[in-house]
Amino acid sequence: MIQNIRGFRDILPEDTKLWQKIEKIASELFKDFGFKEIRIPIIEKSDLFVRSIGQTTDIVEKEMYTFEDRKGDKLTLRPEATASIVRSYIQYKMYAVNPIKKLYTIGPMFRRERPQKGRFRQFYQINAEVFGISSPYIDAQLILMLNEFFKRLGIRELNAHINSLGCFDCRPVFQKVLKKFLGSKKDMLCSNCKTRMQENPLRTLDCKALSCKKALYDAPSILNLLCDECSNHFNTVKETLDKQNINYIVDKNLVRGLDYYSRTAFEIHTNLLGAQSAVAGGGRYDALIKELGGPEIPAIGFAIGFDRLAEILAEMGALGQTTKIQGPDIFIISIGKKSLETGYFLSVELNLQKIKTEINFDKKSLKSLMKKADKLNATYVLIIGHKNLETNGFILRNMNTKEQITISRENTVKEILEHLK
Ligand code: HAM
C-alpha cells in the first residue's frame, strides 16, 4: 500500500470544517483592513528564495525542496510566500500608480524540517504583506490585526514578542560588537554557529542548540545600538501598542529565521504546542523590493502557521466536540430499480435547489435504510417505494418529530421546498 510522504499529510473531511472556519475569519479580517487576495505559484526559480531568504539561513542551507526540471532549470517548492509576492509586485509593476498595496494569500509551503508536533514538511500559512508604507503605525497595526485574529478565534493565551533589527546603518555596528562577544564564547558554540559567526553573526541568536542558547544568554542587545531613526521607529511601535492595550514582550534575541528583515520583527508564541511555540511571525523588510530588482519601497508583513493554529483550536474543542456531524437535509430511500431512477433524478433536482441529499444506490430493506438515515443524522427521509410509485405519492418523514406527510409525484420538489421552508 502506498502511503503519504513523511511530513506530508491529508487534512481529512472531519478536520476541514475547522480549516474553513479559520480561512473565513482570516479573509473577513483582511477585508476589514483593506487587504486584497493574491494567488502565487507553488514553484519558483530557486534563486528567488536564495536571494531573499538568505544563503546562510537554515531554510536555504538545509530545508528547501530544490530540483532541476527537464530543461535543467533550478526550481524550488516555495518555503514561504513573501519572496513570491514581492516578485509579483515588481513583475506586474503594482507600484506604478500607487505603491501602497495590501495583499494576502493562504496556501501550502514546503520545508524539509524534521517532522514533529506542530511541524510538517508541507504546512500552510496565512500570509499578509503591506507595500509602500514606512510609518511605524503600520507595524503596530499588523500586530493589532494578529491580536484581533486570535481574539476572533477565541484564542487568548498568546504572547507577542517584538524586537528591532536595525537598518543597514546601525546593524553593521551591532554585528561587529556581537562578533567580538561570540569570539569570547566560541568554545560553547555549535559547529554551525562557529562558521556562521563570521558571515552572519545574527543567525547565532536564532540557534536552537542548548549550548548556543546558554552562550548567548547575556549577548549584547541590538536595542542599545540602534541609530536614532530606528530607535524612534521602534519607540513609536511600542507606544502605539501600549495605547491600543496590546501586550508584548521586548525580546532582544528575536532575529527571525529569514535574512530579509530590518527594523521591527515580531513573533506570536503559545505554550500549547511544546517546542513549536511560534504560531505567527513577521516583520519589516524595507530593502527586499530593491534587492530583487524593484524600486526602493518599504514593506512589512506576517505569516500565521495554519497547521499550528488548527491544532490549538482542535485541542480547545473550538467547534464543540459534542456536536454531531451535520447530516444531509434529506436521505432518499428508494426501494427497487425503478424507484432508484426516480430517487436519483429527484436528488439532483434537490441539490440544484441547495438541498443536501444522500441516496442509497444499493438494494436494502426499508428497516436497514431507516437505520442508515439515523446514523447519517439526516433531518428528513423521503421514501420512494413500489407502492408509493403506484399511488404517485412519496413519504417525507421528519426524523426528529417522526411526523410524516405525503408528497405528490408531480410537484415533488416544490412541495418539499415549501415544507422545508
Ligand atoms: P516564518 O516564521 O518562517 O515566517 O513562518 C511563519 C509561521 O509559519 C511560523 O510562525 C509557524 O507558525 C509556521 N511554520 C513555519 N514552519 C513550519 C513547519 N515546518 N510546520 C508548521 N508550521 C510552520 C515566514 O515564513 C515569513 N515569510 C513571514 C513574513 C511575511 N514576514 C514578512 N512577511
Side-chain angles (χ1 to χ4, degrees):
M1 195 203 123
I2 301 172
Q3 299 223 341
N4 56 355
I5 314 165
R6 191 163 124 85
F8 290 69
R9 62 187 181 136
D10 307 304
I11 311 298
L12 298 171
E14 53 265 36
D15 297 324
T16 48
K17 196 169 173 196
L18 179 59
W19 284 62
Q20 285 163 4
K21 178 183 162 170
I22 298 173
E23 256 170 32
K24 190 163 170 261
I25 291 179
S27 313
E28 275 168 11
L29 179 82
F30 286 132
K31 221 159 111 203
D32 294 346
F33 280 83
F35 282 70
K36 297 216 165 74
E37 189 185 3
I38 182 169
R39 297 191 187 193
I40 42 168
I42 278 176
I43 300 176
E44 297 267 7
K45 291 185 180 147
S46 306
D47 231 21
L48 175 68
F49 300 116
V50 177
R51 278 172 57 190
S52 20
I53 298 170
Q55 189 78 58
T56 50
T57 55
D58 279 352
I59 298 178
V60 172
E61 276 183 346
K62 318 187 261 205
E63 296 168 2
M64 293 205 308
Y65 281 96
T66 297
F67 60 96
E68 280 186 11
D69 77 353
R70 286 168 193 271
K71 275 196 168 169
D73 290 332
K74 228 173 151 194
L75 307 177
T76 296
L77 281 177
R78 61 181 188 197
E80 60 117 39
T82 310
S84 304
I85 299 177
V86 170
R87 189 231 354 104
S88 180
Y89 180 79
I90 300 168
Q91 186 174 339
Y92 293 98
K93 293 195 171 55
M94 289 187 215
Y95 49 82
V97 179
N98 172 15
I100 298 179
K101 291 284 171 300
K102 296 180 179 180
L103 305 172
Y104 79 92
T105 199
I106 301 176
M109 311 294 152
F110 305 85
R111 295 183 194 173
R112 201 179 189 290
E113 295 188 81
R114 198 167 55 79
Q116 55 177 256
K117 188 174 166 69
R119 198 206 268 159
F120 307 94
R121 289 179 172 174
Q122 175 175 333
F123 60 98
Y124 293 75
Q125 280 186 346
I126 300 168
N127 202 99
E129 313 292 347
V130 177
F131 298 111
I133 307 177
S134 60
S135 163
Y137 287 122
I138 207 74
D139 307 26
Q141 194 188 87
L142 288 190
I143 298 170
L144 172 130
M145 275 179 72
L146 279 169
N147 204 58
E148 174 65 14
F149 174 64
F150 293 119
K151 208 157 100 187
R152 288 187 191 182
L153 281 166
I155 305 177
R156 293 194 190 275
E157 282 147 56
L158 295 172
N159 298 312
H161 291 228
I162 64 169
N163 193 19
S164 174
L165 297 175
C167 63
F168 291 94
D169 287 332
C170 56
R171 199 186 308 166
V173 180
F174 173 66
Q175 279 168 323
K176 230 174 162 176
V177 174
L178 183 62
K179 251 190 208 175
K180 203 168 159 210
F181 171 84
L182 291 169
S184 71
K185 303 270 178 179
K186 206 171 169 187
D187 294 344
M188 292 172 76
L189 300 179
C190 71
S191 57
N192 208 0
C193 285
K194 273 185 190 131
T195 343
R196 279 178 177 178
M197 66 177 266
Q198 291 310 327
E199 317 148 37
N200 197 348
L202 249 68
R203 284 269 70 83
T204 59
L205 292 168
D206 199 32
C207 184
K208 305 283 179 287
L210 206 65
S211 57
C212 293
K213 278 195 169 166
K214 267 191 199 155
L216 287 152
Y217 180 73
D218 54 351
S221 167
I222 189 166
L223 298 172
N224 296 331
L225 293 164
L226 294 179
C227 63
D228 286 348
E229 267 189 61
C230 286
S231 185
N232 291 339
H233 186 102
F234 194 50
N235 285 337
T236 310
V237 174
K238 288 188 292 178
E239 282 159 21
T240 313
L241 291 174
D242 289 338
K243 285 179 188 157
Q244 293 176 134
N245 293 320
I246 293 175
N247 295 325
Y248 59 86
I249 299 160
V250 176
D251 178 352
K252 71 176 175 60
N253 284 358
L254 175 75
V255 286
R256 310 271 302 118
L258 308 97
D259 276 351
Y260 48 60
Y261 293 109
S262 51
R263 293 199 169 159
T264 318
F266 50 88
E267 280 178 0
I268 311 291
H269 287 263
T270 168
N271 42 25
L272 297 167
L273 284 176
Q276 303 312 311
S277 66
V279 271
R284 199 162 257 296
Y285 49 94
D286 290 343
L288 186 60
I289 297 174
K290 184 146 188 245
E291 172 66 34
L292 291 178
E296 200 169 332
I297 292 173
I300 179 165
F302 64 71
I304 300 164
F306 207 137
D307 308 69
R308 293 185 188 175
L309 195 58
E311 230 162 287
I312 295 174
L313 286 168
E315 270 173 36
M316 284 169 46
L319 288 178
Q321 271 148 357
T322 50
T323 40
K324 278 196 197 163
I325 290 174
Q326 211 190 342
D329 299 317
I330 304 178
F331 182 62
I332 300 173
I333 293 180
S334 32
I335 297 167
K337 205 170 162 205
K338 194 104 189 262
S339 54
L340 175 61
E341 190 186 89
T342 312
Y344 167 71
F345 286 121
L346 202 52
S347 78
V348 176
E349 264 185 78
L350 286 165
N351 291 156
L352 293 172
Q353 298 301 324
K354 300 185 193 296
I355 304 289
K356 272 190 289 167
T357 60
E358 294 264 354
I359 179 168
N360 65 300
F361 287 102
D362 46 352
K363 256 188 173 171
K364 288 232 167 87
S365 70
L366 179 61
K367 197 173 158 200
S368 68
L369 288 168
M370 285 303 285
K371 264 194 197 154
K372 188 170 173 191
D374 221 21
K375 231 183 183 170
L376 285 173
N377 203 24
T379 315
Y380 288 88
V381 290
L382 184 74
I383 305 166
I384 303 174
H386 298 300
K387 228 186 187 168
N388 297 324
L389 272 181
E390 278 157 23
T391 58
N392 275 354
F394 307 133
I395 292 168
L396 184 68
R397 179 181 170 90
N398 184 319
M399 294 297 280
N400 295 321
T401 61
K402 315 285 179 223
E403 208 184 303
Q404 317 199 141
I405 56 160
T406 307
I407 299 281
S408 82
R409 189 171 159 71
E410 295 78 37
N411 288 314
T412 320
V413 175
K414 196 169 158 241
E415 283 180 29
I416 290 177
L417 287 177
E418 261 166 29
H419 190 77
L420 262 59
K421 250 198 296 192

